[in-house]
Amino acid sequence: MNNRYYKVDEWKVIEEGFNPEMQEASESLFSLGNGRMGQRANFEEAYSGKTFQGNYIAGVYYPDKTRVGWWKNGYPEYFAKVLNAPNWIGINIEIDGESLDLAKCKLKDFTRELNMKQGFLLRKFTAILSGGKEIKVVAKRFLSIANDEMGAIHYSISSVNFSGNLSFTPYLDGDVKNKDSNYNEIFWDILNLKAENGYACLHSKTKKSGFEVCLSMNYSIEKNGSPTEFSSEIIQSDKLVGNKINLQISENDTVSIKKYVSVLNSMNHSTKKLIQNGKSIVEEAKERGFNNLFEDHASLWDTKWAHSDIIIKGDDAAQQGIRFNIFHLNQTYTGQDERLNIGPKGFTGEKYGGSTYWDTEAFLIPFYLSTAPQEVSRNLLIYRHKHLQKAIENGKKLGFHSGAALYPMVTMNGEECHNEWEITFEEIHRNGAIAFAIFNYIRYTNDKAYLAEYGLEVLIAISRFWRQRVNWSDVKGKYVMLGVTGPNEYENNVNNNWYSNKMAVWTLEYSMDALNYVMDEHPADYARIVDETKFNYEKEIKEWKDIVESMYFPYSDNLKVFLQQDGYLDKDQMKVSELKESDKPLNQNWSWDRILRSPFIKQADVLQGIYTFEEEFDLETIKRNYDYYEPRTVHESSLSPCIHSILASKIGYKDQSYNFYLRTSRLDIDDYNHEVDEGLHITSMGGTWMSVVYGFGGLRIVDHFLHLNPSVPEKWESLSFRIVFRENTLKIKILNSSVEVINESGPDMLFLIRGKEYRVNKGEVEMYSLGVAQGR
């Protein structure tokens, strides 16, 4: 894109100059998180301009009563809002009684930087106040990944040309609202406020859901680099508590405050000990000091980057894009708590409720499989197993029985909380994504024991759902699936969505294989599971096999492509190239009726299935379907470009593959969808990683072997990435005509490059020639 607002840099996102119109967008882009909580890049000091304040705590939500015009049986009772939690970053500044407010004062030399390498936010500017008084401000903050219940801020002020009074007011504020609240509701009750010289705490509780959160703070003051004594005034109101410190500042003096805050919640602490434990954390933090805490934090970021970095030489925009995506993936989910998952906006906004979607299984697990310890992706699967009984209850609400599970489209605790009928009732392909994630995890890790411990119970319940969801059609002489919505949400209530039918049949086949494996290899677990699920092997297997052998899949003999659903060819077959620019995006310019009657596809649907089961299709089949559906796809879902990038790379469409990669990797930095102010597209960031590693790197796992079939963009000098595969850690560097593989840890290993088998021994570096590309 031209006219990029943010500077291109390999390791940073940089804003030079302050534009109030971009403030909410920047607050999203420069957000910080540590897996336990996250904070938008709001200013510490007072700001009267337009802002979207946001501090979010993983797992803490509010069950907002579902409001619909008319109720349908099976509707969820509530929508789970991820709550904007009490504000911990506040530090009001006054110079001779005048409040520092960037919406009111003159500014120069403003810069804001997100340092992705070390995980911190840095802001610098000079403010010109009344009477021409100038101050230089430097503010640095981070959310510690070494201690994921604390954050720290170093805020310094230098006098350029005056002497006078300076006051800092560090505070904690419980007077917060959600931007997405329906009627300006207040979601928090304040239980306790405490303050003393150098310390304050705010103890609050969510309405309805009853989560308790305690913020504690203390701080130190320095003048010209040395600690200085101070006394403070206690500041307290109904919902705010803090200290006010008055100091004298002279020309060329620098005065700073280092604020340490703990954010504890009742998911991890006894409610009776929240205040005590919070105070202990900030006391220890203050004793260790800002620099030492930051070094601990930065050291862990070094480790994360050592395992997950992707290095692109020769293309700074592409490099910045992939690192921005990896950075937010790493700071959104750490895998340490199996109760947690990843919402579409992560910790950067409130849209979609911040809850779990099928995005996790389809787009995020591949990243964590390859870049993190095995237990991280395992915990994402266990999360779904923990919700199995809720999924069975959800199935019962919709009329299913005998232990059939329909996992929710949107959830915080296993209950469905999405209130659009065409999604809640119809977008059932999510069940298939959850089943496939079990297969994908075992294919990658070879952790077959997972089936006996957790996976088989989930597969049986999902397969029972598919068995009941299909019906026999006398007209077609086949099983059919009616009234569904596929991944393309610009089609609702369709019959025989090809992708949904494919996922159903595949799940039944895989579940039968899993049953036989557990029966043979883990007989005690098999007996337990059969008893707990009341599984009737002879009867249920017979029914499943019958569906597998007789499922209907819409297909065009004339076009030789899989049809997205019955009747798709009845539509006026326009292409996106025929749309006027004023029509785009369709979801903002067309009526829903017009969208539903059009041929336009929101995101990969048939192509999502071809990507998922790529090994079943020859290259010509993939190419025909891509050539048919891509020109009809408007990519108005953030999850769409990555799948198209991978498939375009597969069939040799290098320019398309690269352009789709840029779109997915820079979706938020360049604000393609004009909505970054609402938060980032966290779950699609997993797709960005897939675009590089699965697309340009051509990485696949087939029959227990790692395969590479690289095809990097011509402008790239090289592409390097590191992956964990079972016992091995490999560093792979792809050049135009060769591949370098380093077996950094693990045993000697066989793998394939463009179908040819190679060996790399433990600790060795091997270089392999790519020769002349023969297609992929």
Side-chain angles (χ1 to χ4, degrees):
M1 289 184 67
N2 296 322
N3 302 316
R4 288 180 171 136
Y5 177 70
Y6 302 99
K7 184 178 178 181
V8 174
D9 184 278
E10 291 187 355
W11 278 109
K12 299 175 182 177
V13 179
I14 302 171
E15 180 182 18
E16 295 180 332
F18 180 57
N19 180 355
E21 295 300 314
M22 295 295 293
Q23 173 64 0
E24 291 180 308
S26 294
E27 289 172 340
S28 296
L29 286 164
F30 293 85
S31 294
L32 295 176
N34 63 10
R36 183 73 60 189
M37 58 181 170
Q39 173 66 52
R40 286 173 59 85
N42 311 115
F43 294 158
E44 290 87 359
E45 69 278 357
Y47 182 65
S48 59
K50 193 176 181 182
T51 181
F52 177 2
Q53 199 275 326
N55 168 36
Y56 307 103
I57 301 170
V60 174
Y61 69 95
Y62 175 85
D64 195 25
K65 177 69 176 176
T66 299
R67 292 179 172 87
V68 292
W70 55 290
W71 195 265
K72 301 177 180 68
N73 289 334
Y75 249 11
E77 296 290 329
Y78 65 89
F79 179 73
K81 290 184 183 294
V82 169
L83 296 183
N84 179 17
N87 176 17
W88 65 273
I89 64 171
I91 306 174
N92 284 341
I93 308 296
E94 291 183 5
I95 305 295
D96 291 333
E98 180 182 355
S99 177
L100 174 62
D101 182 343
L102 271 62
K104 296 179 179 179
C105 64
K106 294 181 180 179
L107 289 175
K108 61 181 182 180
D109 303 325
F110 179 96
T111 62
R112 177 163 30 189
E113 295 182 4
L114 177 67
N115 186 305
M116 299 181 288
K117 189 175 180 64
Q118 295 185 306
F120 68 89
L121 174 62
L122 181 66
R123 191 163 52 103
K124 300 179 181 179
F125 60 88
T126 297
I128 305 170
L129 305 174
S130 61
K133 298 172 187 173
E134 290 192 22
I135 56 171
K136 288 185 178 180
V137 175
V138 178
K140 177 179 178 179
R141 76 170 179 244
F142 66 95
L143 279 170
S144 175
I145 57 173
N147 179 347
D148 62 10
E149 294 181 315
M150 69 152 291
I153 302 169
H154 184 184
Y155 196 105
S156 68
I157 294 178
S158 301
S159 171
V160 176
N161 60 0
F162 72 97
S163 297
N165 180 264
L166 162 67
S167 73
F168 289 113
T169 304
Y171 64 89
L172 307 170
D173 184 11
D175 188 16
V176 294
K177 296 179 181 179
N178 265 48
K179 190 172 184 179
D180 68 352
S181 63
N182 291 318
Y183 302 109
N184 293 317
E185 303 104 315
I186 301 298
F187 298 125
W188 295 90
D189 289 324
I190 305 300
L191 302 181
N192 202 347
L193 296 168
K194 288 186 176 181
E196 57 192 53
N197 187 41
Y199 164 79
C201 78
L202 185 154
H203 184 190
S204 57
K205 184 177 181 178
T206 61
K207 296 178 184 291
K208 290 188 180 180
S209 51
F211 294 100
E212 294 189 24
V213 172
C214 183
L215 275 59
S216 302
M217 76 165 196
N218 64 14
Y219 55 90
S220 61
I221 305 290
E222 293 180 357
K223 189 171 186 177
N224 298 324
S226 299
T228 185
E229 295 297 321
F230 63 89
S231 60
S232 64
E233 173 190 352
I234 303 301
I235 303 295
Q236 187 168 330
S237 63
D238 291 343
K239 296 183 178 182
L240 182 146
V241 64
N243 289 181
K244 184 173 184 178
I245 306 100
N246 289 300
L247 301 161
Q248 291 299 308
I249 188 169
S250 299
E251 187 174 339
N252 297 322
D253 278 348
T254 297
V255 182
S256 63
I257 181 171
K258 294 175 180 176
K259 180 180 180 181
Y260 308 97
V261 180
S262 63
V263 181
L264 276 56
N265 72 77
S266 55
M267 292 176 65
N268 305 302
H269 296 267
S270 163
T271 55
K272 296 179 180 179
K273 292 187 176 181
L274 282 171
I275 294 176
Q276 174 187 333
N277 293 352
K279 188 172 185 179
S280 296
I281 289 173
V282 293
E283 286 176 346
E284 181 182 346
K286 181 179 176 182
E287 183 176 341
R288 292 213 63 226
F290 186 92
N291 290 340
N292 288 329
L293 293 171
F294 178 73
E295 286 178 10
D296 294 343
H297 167 78
S299 176
L300 288 178
W301 267 111
D302 286 343
T303 301
K304 284 184 178 290
W305 283 115
H307 288 95
S308 60
D309 191 21
I310 289 176
I311 302 171
I312 297 169
K313 295 294 185 183
D315 190 340
D316 290 346
Q319 178 68 85
Q320 182 187 43
I322 189 60
R323 282 189 173 139
F324 179 77
N325 285 251
I326 293 170
F327 172 76
H328 280 286
L329 289 170
N330 277 327
Q331 71 170 1
T332 300
Y333 183 76
T334 63
Q336 296 177 13
D337 190 336
E338 62 193 31
R339 298 170 298 175
L340 303 179
N341 209 285
I342 306 145
K345 295 294 181 187
F347 297 122
T348 70
E350 297 160 13
K351 192 175 181 181
Y352 307 114
S355 308
T356 304
Y357 283 65
W358 71 291
D359 307 17
T360 293
E361 284 76 22
F363 296 92
L364 293 171
I365 282 180
F367 170 78
Y368 296 108
L369 276 173
S370 293
T371 64
Q374 182 174 314
E375 59 267 20
V376 172
S377 48
R378 201 176 206 261
N379 278 345
L380 285 171
L381 299 185
I382 291 172
Y383 175 90
R384 293 295 193 180
H385 180 267
K386 284 180 173 291
H387 292 172
L388 176 57
Q389 291 309 310
K390 292 282 190 182
I392 291 172
E393 291 173 17
N394 186 47
K396 285 182 180 178
K397 291 177 183 178
L398 273 64
F400 298 93
H401 55 84
S402 304
L406 175 59
Y407 275 91
M409 186 66 181
V410 180
T411 192
M412 286 296 294
N413 64 357
E415 295 177 301
E416 177 65 77
C417 60
H418 196 290
N419 55 14
E420 296 176 7
W421 67 269
E422 68 274 13
I423 306 301
T424 303
F425 300 156
E426 294 194 344
E427 200 161 342
I428 54 178
H429 65 81
R430 68 223 192 212
N431 257 13
I434 291 166
F436 188 83
I438 296 171
F439 164 78
N440 201 23
Y441 166 79
I442 294 170
R443 172 174 64 175
Y444 200 93
T445 65
N446 206 32
D447 179 15
K448 293 182 180 179
Y450 183 81
L451 281 174
E453 293 178 59
Y454 301 105
L456 183 57
E457 296 170 70
V458 173
L459 291 171
I460 288 172
I462 291 176
S463 292
R464 284 171 165 171
F465 170 82
W466 289 128
R467 163 65 190 92
Q468 295 173 43
R469 189 58 174 78
V470 304
N471 65 273
W472 180 259
S473 167
D474 288 334
V475 173
K476 288 183 168 59
K478 296 278 187 179
Y479 284 98
V480 296
M481 195 184 304
L482 309 178
V484 302
T485 296
N488 172 26
E489 293 170 340
Y490 287 176
E491 299 274 7
N492 301 148
N493 201 37
V494 302
N495 295 336
N496 295 306
N497 171 255
W498 183 87
Y499 175 76
S500 299
N501 288 16
K502 180 67 178 174
M503 293 303 289
V505 166
W506 178 88
T507 302
L508 294 171
E509 290 179 305
Y510 181 56
S511 297
M512 289 187 282
D513 291 342
L515 274 160
N516 292 331
Y517 170 79
V518 176
M519 183 193 305
D520 294 341
E521 300 298 329
H522 300 272
D525 287 302
Y526 178 79
R528 169 183 58 81
I529 293 167
V530 167
D531 180 63
E532 291 175 355
T533 62
K534 303 295 186 285
F535 186 74
N536 185 327
Y537 185 92
E538 184 176 352
K539 176 179 180 294
E540 296 192 59
I541 290 294
K542 182 179 182 300
E543 292 173 342
W544 296 0
K545 284 183 176 179
D546 193 33
I547 294 168
V548 168
E549 292 169 0
S550 301
M551 191 69 184
Y552 169 72
F553 293 97
Y555 182 78
S556 169
D557 289 319
N558 183 38
L559 298 171
K560 291 184 170 50
V561 298
F562 306 115
L563 292 180
Q564 185 173 266
Q565 75 266 345
D566 285 351
Y568 182 77
L569 291 181
D570 291 334
K571 294 172 176 283
D572 178 9
Q573 291 296 312
M574 287 180 66
K575 296 181 180 180
V576 175
S577 60
E578 299 174 61
L579 287 169
K580 299 174 183 177
E581 284 302 311
S582 59
D583 287 331
K584 297 183 283 189
L586 300 186
N587 59 20
Q588 296 177 28
N589 293 289
W590 280 17
S591 70
W592 194 243
D593 168 74
R594 189 178 181 189
I595 289 174
L596 291 176
R597 290 186 286 106
S598 81
F600 297 118
I601 300 167
K602 179 183 179 185
Q603 68 189 81
D605 196 303
V606 168
L607 297 184
Q608 182 78 34
I610 288 177
Y611 156 76
T612 303
F613 303 110
E614 173 194 290
E615 65 275 8
E616 297 184 18
F617 309 108
D618 61 36
L619 203 62
E620 284 305 310
T621 299
I622 297 172
K623 185 176 182 298
R624 277 198 308 274
N625 281 272
Y626 182 94
D627 288 344
Y628 184 77
Y629 284 109
E630 195 288 318
R632 292 162 173 79
T633 304
V634 290
H635 304 290
E636 289 178 11
S637 165
S638 64
L639 301 174
S640 189
C642 61
I643 298 301
H644 287 81
S645 177
I646 295 167
L647 292 178
S649 185
K650 171 79 177 177
I651 60 179
Y653 292 0
K654 284 193 170 186
D655 288 345
Q656 283 195 33
S657 180
Y658 176 73
N659 289 333
F660 280 130
Y661 162 73
L662 274 189
R663 179 165 179 166
T664 188
S665 68
R666 301 190 62 85
L667 177 70
D668 292 318
I669 299 177
D670 293 336
D671 199 9
Y672 274 83
N673 292 351
H674 307 291
E675 60 181 10
V676 76
D677 57 301
E678 298 176 343
L680 307 181
H681 297 83
I682 299 297
T683 48
S684 75
M685 292 177 176
T688 301
W689 181 90
M690 289 158 48
S691 297
V692 176
V693 176
Y694 293 176
F696 304 131
L699 186 144
R700 303 289 189 275
I701 308 301
V702 182
D703 296 330
H704 299 281
F705 286 96
L706 186 147
H707 292 239
L708 293 171
N709 194 1
S711 178
V712 299
E714 292 180 1
K715 69 181 296 185
W716 293 5
E717 298 168 14
S718 65
L719 165 65
S720 302
F721 54 88
R722 184 180 277 106
I723 61 165
V724 177
F725 177 62
R726 300 185 181 179
E727 299 176 86
N728 294 87
T729 299
L730 303 176
K731 185 176 181 181
I732 297 166
K733 183 175 183 179
I734 302 169
L735 303 166
N736 286 329
S737 59
S738 62
V739 177
E740 178 185 275
V741 179
I742 306 174
N743 188 353
E744 294 186 328
S745 66
D748 298 352
M749 178 179 167
L750 293 174
F751 65 100
L752 291 89
I753 299 178
R754 292 189 175 167
K756 186 175 180 180
E757 189 174 291
Y758 296 95
R759 175 187 295 273
V760 60
N761 295 327
K762 179 180 179 180
E764 291 189 357
V765 181
E766 297 287 351
M767 183 73 77
Y768 309 94
S769 174
L770 290 176
V772 179
Q774 298 296 323
R776 304 187 61 192

